[in-house]
Amino acid sequence: MFVAPAGTSAHERCQLRSWGWRIPFLLSAVLVGVGLFVRLSLAESPEFEAVKARNTVNRLPVVEVFRECGGRVVLMAGGILSAGVAFDSRTSYRT
């Protein structure tokens, strides 16, 4: 929010066009570094460590999800899809 006004007021338009578009990408590199630091400093949950130690990690967990609670997944997907369709229909075909 505060980077854009500071960047446009301090530099001329041509300078902003030549190198200013790189600023968001440089800032995202900083965010990637922060995210990597946080991820590497967190420990795995004891439940996952136990499953990993038994070597029973599922290769396709989505199959297990649909096998155990497929009806709820389909119901939730239908609800979300119908809400999106209703919103898009209302905003697109406004009378």
Side-chain angles (χ1 to χ4, degrees):
M1 263 196 292
F2 301 108
V3 176
T8 55
S9 64
H11 299 89
E12 294 178 15
R13 256 187 172 338
C14 62
Q15 287 178 333
L16 188 61
R17 285 186 186 145
S18 67
W19 64 269
W21 61 270
R22 295 179 179 101
I23 293 173
F25 294 101
L26 294 173
L27 292 176
S28 71
V30 172
L31 287 177
V32 167
V34 169
L36 186 62
F37 171 75
V38 169
R39 173 63 185 105
L40 294 177
S41 64
L42 292 175
E44 293 290 350
S45 67
E47 293 84 6
F48 180 77
E49 289 293 336
V51 169
K52 192 175 173 183
R54 289 191 311 256
N55 199 18
T56 58
V57 177
N58 291 337
R59 287 196 150 313
L60 294 172
V62 70
V63 173
E64 184 178 347
V65 168
F66 275 102
R67 187 179 300 137
E68 291 182 9
C69 50
R72 286 185 280 177
V73 171
V74 170
L75 185 65
M76 184 60 79
I80 292 171
L81 183 64
S82 66
V85 168
F87 176 78
D88 289 343
S89 296
R90 177 71 178 132
T91 57
S92 298
Y93 302 110
R94 200 172 226 174
T95 56

